[in-house]
């Protein structure tokens, strides 16, 4: 198992954000490895922020992360292991064409971050969700790609909840209604619900909801509107924020 995490190597406060790296064989005992990525390019000069990894069918590992540029613009960047035969993945390479996604029209340059693990849509293209807001409405944008270097923004927003503010660290994944095993991110159809989770920047709390995902129309609908993201269930009721899930 590989754990990448937000880390300030110089202080116990937020700032100078890098990607720490640890590995484990049992999720209990961990070996800390050298820092995986540091802010060393113009597109992540002010921080290597939260992102996600996607394991492709051919064994490739794709990493998308938010970089805060030298002009404080939030952009999405691509990285990947230099050597897949290295079980520790000690060397990550940043794509020479970064950034691969920039804030679209109508989205604030400081309100566009934290890409999810990718999933495959019905057209065979990969999709990635990113958190944002419009005024005080929290939203989830979805991009599609075939190669992870060029992206198309899908029309509209996948979901929006007025009054919830900026959505960070969005998570989106399927769960079975009649089984107990986890599901690959691309699974959809009968007996499947989708969890949409967001970290509310204004409240510093993590909320989630169950609903139905319509990939044709790029829409997710909560089962219970009164328990929608940001106004219903919390992931945890203690001090718990900016969480990320993974599929084992």
């Amino acid at each position: 198992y590989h754990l990448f995490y937000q880390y300030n190597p110089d202080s116990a406060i937020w700032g100078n954000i890098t990607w720490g790296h640890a590995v484990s064989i049992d999720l209990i005992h961990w070996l800390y490895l050298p820092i995986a990525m540091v802010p060393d390019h113009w597109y992540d000069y002010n921080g290597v922020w939260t992102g996600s990894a996607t394991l492709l069918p051919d064994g490739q590992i794709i990493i998308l992360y938010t970089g805060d540029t030298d002009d404080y613009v939030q952009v999405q960047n691509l990285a990947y292991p230099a050597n897949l035969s290295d079980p520790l993945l000690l060397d990550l390479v940043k794509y020479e064409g970064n950034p691969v996604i920039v804030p679209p029209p109508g989205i604030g340059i400081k309100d566009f971050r934290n890409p999810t693990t990718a999933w495959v849509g019905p057209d065979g293209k990969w999709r990635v969700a990113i958190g944002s807001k419009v005024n005080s409405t929290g939203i989830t944008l979805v991009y599609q790609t075939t190669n992870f270097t060029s992206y198309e923004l899908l029309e509209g927003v996948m979901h929006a909840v007025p009054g919830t503010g900026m959505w960070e660290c969005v998570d989106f994944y399927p769960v079975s209604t009649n089984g107990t095993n986890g599901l690959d991110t691309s699974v959809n159809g009968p007996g499947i619900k989708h969890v949409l989770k967001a970290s509310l920047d204004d409240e510093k709390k993590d909320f989630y909801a169950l609903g139905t995902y319509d990939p044709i129309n790029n829409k997710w609908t909560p089962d219970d509107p009164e328990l929608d993201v940001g106004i219903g269930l919390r992931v945890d009721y203690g001090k718990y924020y900016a969480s990320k899930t993974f599929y084992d």
Side-chain angles (χ1 to χ4, degrees), residues 62 64 76-78 95 97-102 125-128 130 142-154:
I62 295 296
L64 293 172
Q76 315 313 317
N77 302 310
L78 170 65
Y95 174 56
N98 281 335
V100 293
I101 310 176
V102 299
K125 296 179 180 179
W126 290 93
R127 298 186 180 189
V128 174
I130 298 174
V142 176
Y143 285 79
Q144 67 179 13
T145 181
T146 58
N147 55 16
F148 290 94
T149 58
S150 59
Y151 294 79
E152 175 189 0
L153 176 62
L154 296 185

Side-chain angles (χ1 to χ4, degrees), residues 93-123:
V93 177
K94 296 176 183 178
Y95 174 56
E96 62 181 8
N98 281 335
V100 293
I101 310 176
V102 299
I107 296 298
I109 61 174
K110 297 184 178 181
D111 304 319
F112 184 65
R113 52 188 179 268
N114 312 140
T116 64
T117 295
W119 70 94
V120 179
D123 56 1

Side-chain angles (χ1 to χ4, degrees), residues 10 25 61 119 126 180-181 205 226:
D10 299 327
I25 59 173
I61 298 173
W119 70 94
W126 290 93
T180 57
N181 290 334
K205 297 174 183 176
E226 294 186 359

Side-chain angles (χ1 to χ4, degrees), residues 212-228:
T212 301
Y213 174 46
D214 175 3
I216 301 298
N217 295 300
N218 184 37
K219 292 295 180 183
W220 176 89
T221 304
D223 288 350
D224 184 348
E226 294 186 359
L227 295 176
D228 208 342

Side-chain angles (χ1 to χ4, degrees), residues 9-31:
D10 299 327
S11 176
I13 61 173
W14 194 91
N16 185 34
I17 297 300
T18 69
W19 269 32
H21 187 192
V23 292
S24 173
I25 59 173
D26 58 11
L27 298 178
I28 298 173
H29 305 92
W30 292 88
L31 172 67

Side-chain angles (χ1 to χ4, degrees), residues 64-112:
L64 293 172
Y65 72 94
T66 297
D68 194 22
T69 74
D70 52 0
D71 286 329
Y72 298 98
V73 179
Q74 295 171 15
V75 298
Q76 315 313 317
N77 302 310
L78 170 65
Y80 47 87
N83 180 11
L84 283 173
S85 64
D86 173 15
L88 296 181
L89 303 178
L90 289 175
D91 186 13
L92 298 184
V93 177
K94 296 176 183 178
Y95 174 56
E96 62 181 8
N98 281 335
V100 293
I101 310 176
V102 299
I107 296 298
I109 61 174
K110 297 184 178 181
D111 304 319
F112 184 65

Side-chain angles (χ1 to χ4, degrees), residues 175-181 191:
V175 292
S176 173
T177 60
N178 50 28
T180 57
N181 290 334

